[in-house]
Amino acid sequence: VSAERSRAPYGPGTAPHLQSEVRTHTWAEGGRERTLRYAHFAVQSSGRGPAADDQPTELPTSSRQHQWGDSGFGDWVSTIAAIWPLDAEHFLAIAGLSTLESGSSTEVAHDVPRVLDALARHPGHMGALAVHALAAGISATRRDYRFHAVDAFVDLVPTGRIATSDIASVLAKHAEAWPASRWTESLTAIGQAPGGSPVVLELLTVLLPQLPLGHRGLNSLLDLLRDQTIRHGAMVTDPFLLHWLGEFSGTSPVARTAAQLLR
């Protein structure tokens, strides 16, 4: 039964459903009101009720939300990933929640690097959970987690196993919660890896027009885009990016960088 279930990816309508939103937490500190935006995730599996004894690998219908400290799979992460070799969504639905929320938590979650490493090595289909886990990994609050995500990114995106446009869409959706400075650091490291630089250029071309002009840390991303165009001897030709760059005005650093890219 286990072997039969592992031979195929999830079918249409049977894959776990991922829900995410950027939430706001407000509190008072030192007589001032503080605000924090964070990304929240929940995974709804689509089983058929409690798993029967003769169906040991069937996931029951359930909705899981990450609770801090609920990341104790440890060395079992690679084992869980290996049970379903043809679809990474299986193991991410079980062990991936701490990775999905690594961009909003400063708590130590030892499963995060294990999940990212297992994702990089996984030979199967990459679905929505894989895309979100990788995007969250390069946005993680902890730098050591981002290092693991960079390695996974280099293995999965330049090879076409995960689409650059899908990563860009996830980053843009959660931009209020995931600082652009983390993206810059991760993408700079990716650009230095073999085959990574063209992907960084493609990702920035798709991502930047989806961000507001006043997005925090935007100038570092534009600096990276300028460096990548210089490295490849390329010019900005994408019409959406050209239009977006043309909306900057004034003498701020980000406006000056935008003007340089338009030349």
Side-chain angles (χ1 to χ4, degrees):
V1 172
S2 300
E4 181 180 1
R5 195 176 303 284
S6 70
R7 290 189 188 119
Y10 277 111
T14 63
H17 177 66
L18 177 66
Q19 295 178 320
S20 69
E21 61 178 339
V22 175
R23 295 182 176 181
T24 301
H25 174 63
T26 303
W27 74 100
E29 181 179 321
R32 298 179 58 185
E33 186 177 89
R34 305 282 185 174
T35 299
L36 171 69
R37 290 183 175 86
Y38 63 97
H40 175 77
F41 294 87
V43 177
Q44 174 73 46
S45 62
S46 55
R48 301 177 180 177
D53 291 340
D54 61 345
Q55 299 290 322
T57 62
E58 180 172 304
L59 296 178
T61 301
S62 64
S63 180
R64 297 192 66 232
Q65 301 182 33
H66 179 62
Q67 303 292 330
W68 302 124
D70 179 26
S71 57
F73 291 97
D75 292 337
W76 285 101
V77 168
S78 59
T79 302
I80 297 170
I83 291 174
W84 294 282
L86 296 188
D87 200 328
E89 302 295 277
H90 283 283
F91 97 90
L92 290 172
I94 298 171
L97 278 169
S98 59
T99 303
L100 290 171
E101 298 201 342
S102 63
S104 300
S105 172
T106 57
E107 300 290 335
V108 176
H110 296 292
D111 280 357
V112 173
R114 293 185 176 102
V115 168
L116 291 169
D117 291 348
L119 181 63
R121 296 191 300 266
H122 201 282
H125 168 256
M126 300 284 159
L129 287 174
V131 175
H132 282 73
L134 186 57
I138 64 172
S139 310
T141 57
R142 293 178 57 91
R143 181 173 291 171
D144 54 333
Y145 296 169
R146 297 201 296 272
F147 289 157
H148 288 265
V150 164
D151 290 340
F153 190 105
V154 172
D155 286 337
L156 297 173
V157 180
T159 58
R161 299 192 60 210
I162 289 181
T164 309
S165 58
D166 291 342
I167 293 288
S169 297
V170 175
L171 293 177
K173 179 179 179 181
H174 303 92
E176 288 184 288
W178 294 344
S181 57
R182 300 177 196 164
W183 300 343
T184 302
E185 183 176 284
S186 295
L187 293 175
T188 298
I190 291 166
Q192 295 169 350
S197 184
V199 176
V200 171
L201 185 57
E202 180 184 355
L203 177 63
L204 291 173
T205 298
V206 179
L207 171 62
L208 288 171
Q210 300 182 58
L211 301 177
L213 299 182
H215 186 64
R216 185 177 180 181
L218 195 59
N219 192 48
S220 63
L221 288 176
L222 284 178
D223 285 342
L224 180 58
L225 175 62
R226 180 194 58 202
D227 294 344
Q228 293 299 318
T229 57
I230 294 173
R231 178 176 181 177
H232 292 278
M235 296 181 62
V236 175
T237 58
D238 181 82
F240 296 103
L241 181 56
L242 286 171
H243 175 76
W244 182 81
L245 290 170
E247 294 183 345
F248 288 95
S249 60
T251 59
S252 65
V254 67
R256 290 198 299 268
T257 306
Q260 292 173 358
L261 286 163
L262 287 171
R263 291 174 185 171

